[in-house]
Amino acid sequence: MATTTGTVTRTGSFTWAVAIAAGLAIAGAYLPAMPWLHWLFKPLTTLLIAWSVWRMASAVPRYRTWLLVGLVLSTFGDVFLMLPVDAFVPGLASFLLAHLAYLLALRQRGRWFASLWPFALYALVAGIVLSQLWPGLPDALRVPVVVYVVVLAAMAAQALAVWWRQRDAASASAAIGGACFVLSDALLAWDRFVVPFAAASAAVLASYWLAQWGLARSLPPRD
């Protein structure tokens, strides 16, 4: 009982720390006089999520390892996307590798294509998103973006397929995380390539960290 209570307390503490760091990062994106808040707390929020995974014991160690790899790669992506120069392609590549790491993590809990309907669902979502982005995409970015969207959709679909087979809290968290990642990246792409909107930073970052937190909480606990 004491161990369980301690685990819940630590999780609650990390939840608050992540929420506060995320709020400061989002605030910094809207405060021209305090951009350092964004520069500091954007990568720090993702690293806090990674630290929470590092501290957790798991029944599936490889799942934990691949989650950590994905979170570290995501931190690189965070940094690339907030640089004052255009580093969209390195950022895209970092997140592409992160999603491959998450795919390998999810493979530890279920075989590939364990259920086909999640892949059909996310293929439809990916097709709709790409159809909206396509007219505004520069020619040089079309192939990289298509590859990225395919891998992202596959990750989210694998998470949903694992939940469909496992039906436990950890797999549900992964499925929610995958869906939030698709939403976050769709909003980011819409703002960048279709129609910019004022709430983009808040919407993209909030859904992004919900995605990362959902994936982090999907770590199967050790009994």
Side-chain angles (χ1 to χ4, degrees), residues 20 24 53-55 60 67 69 79-80 86 93-94 104 111 117 120 126 135 137 147 173 192 208 219:
I20 292 169
L24 290 170
V53 172
W54 176 265
R55 289 174 59 90
V60 188
L67 274 183
V69 171
V79 173
F80 281 128
D86 186 0
S94 297
L104 290 171
R111 61 181 176 84
W117 71 264
L137 280 175
V147 171
S173 185
R192 187 179 182 92
Y208 166 67
L219 188 66

Side-chain angles (χ1 to χ4, degrees), residues 29-221:
Y30 289 95
L31 296 173
M34 303 180 73
W36 62 269
L37 282 175
H38 186 68
W39 300 337
L40 175 62
F41 284 101
K42 185 182 179 186
L44 181 60
T45 303
T46 308
L47 288 174
L48 280 171
I49 296 172
W51 179 245
S52 75
V53 172
W54 176 265
R55 289 174 59 90
M56 290 175 65
S58 174
V60 188
R62 287 187 180 180
Y63 193 100
R64 176 174 171 272
T65 298
W66 285 116
L67 274 183
L68 285 170
V69 171
L71 285 161
V72 170
L73 287 166
S74 295
T75 305
F76 281 109
D78 290 339
V79 173
F80 281 128
L81 292 183
M82 68 179 183
L83 289 176
V85 297
D86 186 0
F88 180 76
V89 172
L92 192 72
S94 297
F95 281 112
L96 173 66
L97 293 174
H99 292 314
L100 288 172
Y102 292 144
L103 261 174
L104 290 171
L106 292 162
R107 176 62 181 84
Q108 308 305 311
R109 298 213 64 204
R111 61 181 176 84
W112 301 122
F113 304 105
S115 295
L116 293 180
W117 71 264
F119 289 87
L121 173 64
Y122 275 107
L124 176 62
V125 172
I128 292 171
V129 171
L130 281 172
S131 71
Q132 298 302 305
L133 299 181
W134 201 255
L137 280 175
D139 290 343
L141 285 180
R142 286 186 168 182
V143 171
V145 168
V146 168
V147 171
Y148 179 83
V149 169
V150 168
V151 173
L152 170 61
M155 184 276 289
Q158 179 71 9
L160 185 55
V162 169
W163 170 79
W164 187 250
R165 292 294 183 181
Q166 302 287 343
R167 304 294 182 95
D168 58 14
S171 60
S173 185
I176 293 169
C180 287
F181 236 127
V182 172
L183 173 61
S184 178
D185 283 352
L187 291 171
L188 173 65
W190 187 273
D191 178 65
R192 187 179 182 92
F193 299 115
V194 183
V195 179
F197 59 103
S201 291
V204 169
L205 290 174
S207 53
Y208 166 67
W209 282 314
L210 284 173
Q212 297 284 28
W213 186 252
L215 288 165
R217 296 307 98 189
S218 73
L219 188 66

Side-chain angles (χ1 to χ4, degrees), residues 15-29:
T15 302
W16 279 108
V18 168
I20 292 169
L24 290 170
I26 292 170

